[in-house]
Amino acid sequence: MSISSSRSDSEHRAKRLKTSHSGATGEQDTAMETGLGGARGGSMRNMGSNKAPAKKLTISLKKEKPKLPEMFEEDTWQKLQQSVRAVHNEEKIGQSYEELYKAVEDLCIHKLGQNLYVKLQAECEEHIKKEIASLVAQTADAVLFLEVVEQCWQTHTKQMSLIRSIFLYLDRTYVIQSCNVCSLWAMGLQLFRKHLDLAPEVINKCIQGILSLIHKERIGDMVNRTLLRSLLRMLSALQLYPQFEAHFLDATDGFYREEGNAKIQELDVPTYLVYVERRLEEEGERVGHYLELQTRKPLVGRLDEQLLEVHMAAIIDRGLEPLMADNRVKDLQRMYSLLGRVNALQPVRTAFTAYVKRAGVEMVTNEEREKEMVQDLLDFKAKLDYLLEEAFDANEELSHSLKDAFEFLINVRQNKPAEHIAKFVDVQLRSGGKGVSEQELETVLDRVLTLFRYIQGKDVFEAFFKKDLAKRLLLNKSASVDAEKSMISKLKQECGSSFTNKLEGMFKDMELSRDIMNFYQDSSTKKGIGASSDIAVHVLTTGYWPAYPPAPLKLPKELLEHQESFEKFYLSKHHGRRLTWQNSLAHCSIKATFRPGSQGRKELLVSLYQAAILLLFNNSDVMTFEEVATAVGMEDKELRVTLQSLACSKTKILSKNPKGRDVEDGDVFTFNGKFDSKQLRIKVNSIQLKETQEENEKTTESVFQDRQYQVDAAVVRVMKARKTLSHTLLISELFKQLKFPVTPADLKKRIESLIDREYLERDKDTPSVYNYLA
């Protein structure tokens, strides 16, 4: 308002001067010539040819410093004081929060923040003093008194929070810029603590009431845990918690000393250990519900001392031997765990081994969770390693027990663990799996290799791993070639070069294939082929790769000429070799136009089977099942599965009539011109990655066949060296030589087979003795 008034005075003086005589120039030291005056002066000069010359006007401005109203601070504080008292009295505030905030801001801007802080502190202290004084004469009932204290504290925090929001500008300017001045919230806590210290009976009564409630809870009564949590948070905020904690730990000592002495006399050791475990759990829950985390360690230490360490000799003398005799695994595990808390671990290796075997066998034999078996075992192993390292202080004997137990449990169910470990590795190494870093992948592979060491039938793992590796390489689904080679290097280090020769040969084939394709691209044979399509060929050595059954297929003309061209080129360079095309492993990239415009053009990633079917629809939009079957020449089962993936899956490139999940004879397929997707590259060939039950059975069968050959070779090798040997000694020698699990009954069958084929004969005088036939 002062600025506005000054401006009006200036305007008034300007009007007065406009009509005054030029003699007013005596005030030139404080005068200023305006642009408007100059412009008018110019105008008057132009008119001076006919009239009197224009007069030069000057305006003098008197500068005045704005002043605050005399009662500004008192009036503003009175308004703020009323709002603070309204908050304390839980009444409605007369002014808006914006007006109050602005009032605080005005005081702080005019350097009145210190006075405001002092007045606000005094106002709050007066109110807090009354509130604390009202607690002194409260009821003697512990619970009611604690509820009154808790209500007083909640009201205080709520009111201080509201006051701080009103005086926020003060908190963020004066308080921050001043030394030794605490925030408004801290000021409220200090005042509350100050007046509590002046009323020690309130603090003592509060602590004793809390201890009384905790005692009631320990003996089984229900208590208000929310009330306890709120009060203990109050003590913590007021820095009174250490005072409570000292009383609490002393009460805990006395309570469990008396109860422990009684329980060890009336209960047997297993029941007593259950009681101790329950008490530990209860105290742990108590910490989680309302005690501070810092109390956990000293609290558990008091329990360990009074319930375990004092009675350690009695627990071991009366409990260990009977529990081992009765094979009560859980009680022995509990004893091992609880005695470990007081550094009194004794031989419980039998119990530990039994626990690992029982839990592990359950995981291996649980057919409902076969797919999660490996992950469950990895988690279980990691958990046990952690317990062995952390809880059992890396006990060397227990480490050996853990190894023996895992070797036992993972071979309880022959072949399946090895198969699932290979599939687990496949998921980790396949692209599009979990988005893990190289270091994380390396860690997972190392953990899997630990399980692999325990497997006796490593040939099963090799067969499934090789089959999955072939798909990853040929379908370009490997996440990292470095990770693949790292895994093979680990297997080589574990099992020797003979185990990984074929796997390494597969990688060599892939590298040689890239060189062959480079030569082919530059050859004259390739140049005669049309540019609308292209081909990439992997030349695989039969001995390195899994055996694949023949897969008949009539290739489209676009692909057939490429295939014939490459075959002509390759055979001209490598005489005497024969190429067998594996159609089931081929995949294609097709550019499809569903409708005009860039949005209608997509790139489809499909299998060769899918590509052969889709290319038929370049010539006809509608085809029956029989027409498709005749055109592609595929096996009936493979044809139906492929059509199902194109017409019945989420990505419907074709439309089927009638609709349904299964493909039947007489179904009509139409090119789906309405197909749409936000993606430009669409994967439709996921069916190639899926393993069927039939494939798994064939792989397992091939392993069994190889094992038979190995058993036959071992029998002949041993008998050729010994010439004559008894059945018992032959079986014993075979167990030493064979690296996979086998039963005496299986060996006997192979021996009988060799006798039928006249490699061996039974001794005429002693049928249990075999003779080698040259």
Side-chain angles (χ1 to χ4, degrees):
M1 293 176 63
S2 59
I3 295 173
S4 175
S5 174
S6 175
R7 183 176 180 183
S8 299
D9 294 343
S10 299
E11 291 176 353
H12 179 72
R13 286 195 296 272
K15 291 179 180 178
R16 178 167 53 83
L17 288 171
K18 185 175 181 181
T19 57
S20 66
H21 192 267
S22 61
T25 56
E27 297 179 359
Q28 284 182 353
D29 290 341
T30 60
M32 101 180 227
E33 184 175 339
T34 66
L36 178 62
R40 289 179 178 175
S43 175
M44 295 176 70
R45 280 195 298 271
N46 292 336
M47 298 170 61
S49 57
N50 298 322
K51 298 182 181 181
K55 295 180 181 180
K56 182 176 181 181
L57 298 179
T58 58
I59 300 175
S60 176
L61 299 177
K62 184 178 180 180
K63 298 182 180 178
E64 294 182 358
K65 185 177 180 180
K67 296 181 180 180
L68 289 174
E70 293 183 1
M71 301 298 292
F72 171 73
E73 182 179 8
E74 289 76 7
D75 293 344
T76 305
W77 165 244
Q78 185 177 7
K79 179 168 61 174
L80 293 172
Q81 185 182 42
Q82 290 175 356
S83 67
V84 172
R85 290 180 176 177
V87 171
H88 285 155
N89 297 328
E90 298 183 345
E91 298 173 351
K92 184 177 179 181
I93 300 176
Q95 295 82 19
S96 68
Y97 289 111
E98 185 177 1
E99 292 178 9
L100 295 173
Y101 183 91
K102 182 64 178 175
V104 174
E105 183 181 4
D106 288 342
L107 288 174
C108 292
I109 288 175
H110 292 93
K111 309 301 182 182
L112 298 174
Q114 182 178 2
N115 295 340
L116 177 61
Y117 186 90
V118 172
K119 291 177 180 179
L120 176 62
Q121 185 178 27
E123 188 70 27
C124 291
E125 182 169 12
E126 184 65 24
H127 173 73
I128 292 172
K129 180 179 179 181
K130 293 178 181 178
E131 292 296 316
I132 298 298
S134 68
L135 297 176
V136 176
Q138 285 293 337
T139 175
D141 184 274
V143 176
L144 293 178
F145 176 75
L146 292 178
E147 289 177 350
V148 171
V149 173
E150 195 267 345
Q151 181 59 43
C152 177
W153 170 251
Q154 293 296 338
T155 302
H156 168 75
T157 56
K158 180 180 178 182
Q159 291 174 351
M160 286 306 303
S161 178
L162 187 56
I163 290 172
R164 183 181 180 276
S165 65
I166 295 173
F167 290 83
L168 186 61
Y169 193 86
L170 176 68
D171 217 13
R172 291 184 175 178
T173 54
Y174 167 71
V175 172
I176 292 178
Q177 295 167 4
S178 304
C179 298
N180 302 321
V181 177
C182 59
S183 68
L184 298 183
W185 179 262
M187 177 195 73
L189 294 179
Q190 289 181 357
L191 294 175
F192 203 94
R193 168 68 187 270
K194 172 184 175 182
H195 289 281
L196 269 182
D197 289 340
L198 296 176
E201 62 272 24
V202 174
I203 299 176
N204 294 334
K205 194 173 180 181
C206 182
I207 291 176
Q208 292 304 318
I210 294 173
L211 293 178
S212 174
L213 287 184
I214 294 175
H215 180 80
K216 288 182 178 180
E217 187 180 36
R218 282 173 172 166
I219 62 176
D221 293 346
M222 294 292 293
V223 299
N224 187 345
R225 285 186 165 185
T226 304
L227 175 63
L228 287 172
R229 180 169 60 250
S230 179
L231 290 170
L232 290 173
R233 295 299 177 269
M234 177 193 74
L235 294 180
S236 179
L238 298 174
Q239 298 182 0
L240 292 170
Y241 188 83
Q243 183 177 342
F244 158 78
E245 186 181 56
H247 289 83
F248 171 70
L249 293 176
D250 290 341
T252 299
D253 254 347
F255 178 83
Y256 284 111
R257 184 186 301 111
E258 180 180 351
E259 188 176 74
N261 290 333
K263 294 293 183 181
I264 195 66
Q265 297 298 326
E266 66 184 59
L267 301 176
D268 58 10
V269 171
T271 309
Y272 179 78
L273 292 176
V274 171
Y275 151 74
V276 173
E277 192 174 60
R278 178 172 59 82
R279 280 305 191 184
L280 286 168
E281 291 175 357
E282 289 174 356
E283 296 300 331
E285 290 177 0
R286 201 160 281 124
V287 172
H289 279 96
Y290 49 80
L291 296 173
E292 292 289 324
L293 289 177
Q294 68 193 43
T295 307
R296 180 187 293 275
K297 186 174 181 179
L299 172 60
V300 173
R302 300 298 175 94
L303 264 71
D304 288 342
E305 179 183 356
Q306 297 300 332
L307 300 181
L308 292 172
E309 191 171 352
V310 172
H311 307 294
M312 178 179 61
I315 293 172
I316 295 174
D317 294 342
R318 290 168 44 194
L320 183 61
E321 212 173 298
L323 290 177
M324 293 178 65
D326 295 339
N327 197 28
R328 295 171 61 175
V329 179
K330 291 184 178 179
D331 289 326
L332 285 169
Q333 182 186 9
R334 184 178 294 109
M335 177 183 288
Y336 197 105
S337 174
L338 292 175
L339 292 180
R341 303 174 67 90
V342 291
N343 299 319
L345 293 177
Q346 296 296 326
V348 290
R349 181 177 178 179
T350 303
F352 178 79
T353 303
Y355 163 71
V356 175
K357 286 182 177 180
R358 179 181 58 79
V361 168
E362 184 179 344
M363 294 178 187
V364 173
T365 56
N366 187 354
E367 296 183 2
E368 295 180 357
R369 289 183 57 85
E370 272 193 353
K371 294 182 179 180
E372 293 81 16
M373 179 199 300
V374 178
Q375 188 61 56
D376 289 346
L377 288 174
L378 287 174
D379 295 341
F380 184 53
K381 180 67 166 59
K383 173 186 173 182
L384 292 173
D385 287 339
Y386 175 80
L387 291 176
L388 186 64
E389 183 69 25
E390 300 295 328
F392 305 143
D393 199 22
N395 185 283
E396 187 175 352
E397 291 185 357
L398 281 176
S399 179
H400 294 319
S401 297
L402 179 60
K403 179 182 177 181
D404 295 341
F406 254 84
E407 188 170 354
F408 166 80
L409 67 89
I410 208 167
N411 292 292
V412 165
R413 191 179 176 194
Q414 290 186 5
N415 305 324
K416 274 296 179 182
E419 174 187 339
H420 286 291
I421 289 174
K423 290 180 179 178
F424 182 84
V425 173
D426 175 56
V427 172
Q428 302 303 314
L429 294 176
R430 190 188 307 164
S431 60
K434 298 178 181 178
V436 296
S437 65
E438 292 184 3
Q439 185 60 40
E440 291 172 332
L441 179 59
E442 197 72 17
T443 302
V444 172
L445 294 179
D446 286 335
R447 292 175 61 199
V448 173
L449 205 64
T450 303
L451 296 183
F452 172 76
R453 292 190 185 105
Y454 299 134
I455 296 174
Q456 294 176 356
K458 292 182 171 58
D459 52 344
V460 177
F461 172 88
E462 180 189 10
F464 281 95
F465 180 82
K466 183 168 71 171
K467 177 171 65 69
D468 294 332
L469 173 61
K471 283 191 174 184
R472 292 196 300 272
L473 294 179
L474 296 178
L475 299 178
N476 196 27
K477 289 298 180 181
S478 181
S480 168
V481 176
D482 292 337
E484 296 279 6
K485 291 184 177 180
S486 174
M487 183 62 190
I488 292 176
S489 176
K490 296 177 191 295
L491 293 174
K492 185 175 183 178
Q493 186 177 359
E494 193 69 29
C495 303
S497 58
S498 60
F499 187 84
T500 58
N501 277 342
K502 294 181 179 180
L503 303 177
E504 292 172 331
M506 294 166 71
F507 279 94
K508 291 178 182 177
D509 280 350
M510 297 298 291
E511 294 172 1
L512 290 174
S513 296
R514 282 191 286 271
D515 296 336
I516 291 172
M517 285 307 301
N518 289 334
F519 286 123
Y520 173 65
Q521 295 293 342
D522 297 332
S523 68
S524 58
T525 308
K526 172 67 171 64
K527 293 178 181 178
I529 306 300
S532 61
S533 59
D534 202 355
I535 187 173
V537 180
H538 297 301
V539 182
L540 315 179
T541 304
T542 304
Y544 294 155
W545 299 77
Y548 298 104
L553 176 66
K554 295 179 182 179
L555 285 179
K557 181 181 178 182
E558 298 89 340
L559 300 178
L560 183 60
E561 59 182 3
H562 282 288
Q563 180 175 304
E564 292 174 346
S565 172
F566 178 83
E567 190 166 356
K568 180 181 178 181
F569 163 79
Y570 184 82
L571 295 179
S572 68
K573 300 292 183 181
H574 303 85
H575 300 289
R577 294 190 181 181
R578 181 170 60 89
L579 291 179
T580 303
W581 296 90
Q582 298 293 342
N583 297 323
S584 61
L585 298 174
H587 57 97
C588 302
S589 174
I590 296 179
K591 293 183 179 179
T593 302
F594 292 92
R595 59 186 175 278
S598 59
Q599 294 297 325
R601 291 194 292 271
K602 306 292 182 183
E603 183 179 353
L604 306 178
L605 303 179
V606 296
S607 68
L608 180 57
Y609 291 152
Q610 292 171 326
I613 293 174
L614 290 176
L615 290 176
L616 296 177
F617 288 87
N618 279 339
N619 303 321
S620 175
D621 288 342
V622 180
M623 296 186 72
T624 64
F625 174 79
E626 289 73 15
E627 290 173 341
V628 174
T630 303
V632 296
M634 293 169 54
E635 292 181 353
D636 183 76
K637 181 179 179 181
E638 193 68 45
L639 175 62
R640 293 180 189 273
V641 172
T642 306
L643 284 171
Q644 192 178 40
S645 68
L646 294 173
C648 304
S649 64
K650 185 178 180 180
T651 308
K652 293 182 174 61
I653 309 298
L654 303 178
S655 299
K656 187 176 81 73
N657 188 25
K659 295 182 179 180
R661 290 291 303 168
D662 298 325
V663 175
E664 305 291 347
D665 295 343
D667 285 353
V668 178
F669 297 90
T670 307
F671 180 72
N672 184 11
K674 297 181 180 179
F675 174 78
D676 191 19
S677 175
K678 295 181 180 179
Q679 298 176 335
L680 294 178
R681 301 178 79 243
I682 305 168
K683 295 181 180 180
V684 195
N685 66 333
S686 59
I687 189 173
Q688 282 185 295
L689 290 173
K690 295 182 180 178
E691 295 181 350
T692 63
Q693 183 64 28
E694 184 179 353
E695 284 181 325
N696 289 341
E697 291 175 357
K698 287 182 178 179
T699 304
T700 305
E701 185 62 32
S702 68
V703 172
F704 289 155
Q705 191 67 42
D706 290 341
R707 286 183 177 181
Q708 290 182 0
Y709 296 148
Q710 293 182 52
V711 172
D712 291 351
V715 172
V716 172
R717 189 165 53 247
V718 171
M719 291 303 301
K720 187 176 182 179
R722 302 290 187 90
K723 304 301 180 184
T724 299
L725 204 61
S726 68
H727 177 80
T728 304
L729 292 177
L730 176 59
I731 296 297
S732 176
E733 191 66 29
L734 291 175
F735 277 132
K736 294 178 182 178
Q737 293 196 14
L738 296 174
K739 297 181 180 180
F740 51 84
V742 63
T743 64
D746 294 332
L747 295 178
K748 185 176 181 181
K749 288 180 182 179
R750 300 316 305 160
I751 293 172
E752 294 291 344
S753 174
L754 290 172
I755 292 175
D756 293 340
R757 288 179 282 164
E758 298 182 352
Y759 284 91
L760 307 177
E761 69 173 2
R762 294 183 183 276
D763 189 84
K764 297 178 181 179
D765 298 328
T766 310
S768 61
V769 175
Y770 304 114
N771 298 321
Y772 176 71
L773 299 178

